[in-house]
Every structure is written in C-alpha cells, then in structure tokens.
Amino acid sequence: MPHAGPTIADGPMTRGLSVLLADEDAEGLRSTARVLQRLGHQVASYAVTVGEAAERIAEEDPDLSVVAVHDDLEHALDLIDELSEAARGPVVAVMEHGNGEFLVRAAARGIDGFARSEDPGEVQSAIEVALRRHRQE
C-alpha cells in the first residue's frame, strides 16, 4: 500500500554541509566519517576530549556537529553538552545500538536528531530532522 504523503525520503536532501564529527575513539570515527562523506558532506573528524570540542567548533564553524556514540556514553553525553553550547548548527548523535536511557539524557543535553545505525538513509534523515528542528528554534 503506498504511503499517504511525502516523507523526508521523498524530498530533496541537504548535501554539502560542513560537518564536525567528534568521538573519543579515532577508530570509531572512520566508519561514520565515510558514511557522511558518501552522503556528500565535507567532514572534519576529531577524536577529542570534551575540553577540545569547543576549540574545534570555533576553528571549523560547522553547519552540523555529529557525535559518534560508541563505548563511553558519558564522554558522548559530555561532548553533546559542549557542542550544543558552542555550535551554531544542530547536533546529531549516531549510535550503533539504540539505548533509550542514553537518548533521554542526550535530548536533555541538546541533541537535535539521532540515528540508531550508520545506515546512510537513516543518518541523512536524522540530519534533515535536526536541520528543520534547529531552524524552527
């Protein structure tokens, strides 16, 4: 049965964003960076401490910040908090496995969108939602 109306997947997708990608693990950044690059975005990825995140935001001035969530959930939450405060654009979390408690805590710290996998369609949809939510604020 066809869907009743247009979805994000039916509309034009935003491409060519400057994206700051942050995580504590350089290895973990690589796969998320590849997904974002394949989607047509310009990615600056950094394995950073929370203190370094604001410096990178000031240097890069990205359209969008993405936190790749892996093992250290507290570090990811602290990065979300810092990026939400310092960035002019929205913040998206990308995580391999869904975690309801983490999402509630991340929302309280300022994420604008999230993807529960590195599936390119899901990541781009999270970006579109985050951009729309951020523009409405």
Side-chain angles (χ1 to χ4, degrees):
M1 176 178 216
H3 58 80
T7 66
I8 288 174
D10 297 327
M13 292 296 171
T14 305
R15 303 283 189 226
L17 296 173
S18 62
V19 178
L20 183 135
L21 173 61
D23 188 6
E24 81 281 0
D25 177 24
E27 183 71 28
L29 289 170
R30 288 187 190 99
S31 62
T32 306
R34 281 192 297 271
V35 169
L36 291 165
Q37 289 165 340
R38 277 189 245 130
L39 289 168
H41 304 298
Q42 304 301 311
V43 181
S45 59
Y46 298 100
V48 294
T49 65
V50 174
E52 294 169 327
E55 292 174 30
R56 297 294 184 223
I57 287 288
E59 291 170 6
E60 299 290 336
D61 191 27
D63 298 318
L64 172 77
S65 298
V66 175
V67 175
V69 182
H70 291 99
D71 297 327
D72 190 343
L73 299 182
E74 289 304 316
H75 184 265
L77 287 167
D78 290 343
L79 279 175
I80 290 166
D81 196 33
E82 187 67 28
L83 294 172
S84 295
E85 290 291 320
R88 69 177 168 86
V91 177
V92 172
V94 176
M95 63 192 102
E96 198 170 310
H97 304 289
N99 179 323
E101 180 185 340
F102 173 83
L103 290 175
V104 168
R105 293 174 67 197
R109 294 188 181 205
I111 62 166
D112 297 288
F114 69 93
R116 287 192 176 160
S117 76
E118 289 185 346
D119 172 76
E122 187 167 336
V123 171
Q124 187 62 39
S125 291
I127 291 170
E128 298 298 331
V129 168
L131 289 169
R132 290 176 188 176
R133 287 187 69 212
H134 195 75
R135 287 180 190 135
Q136 292 175 355
E137 291 178 352

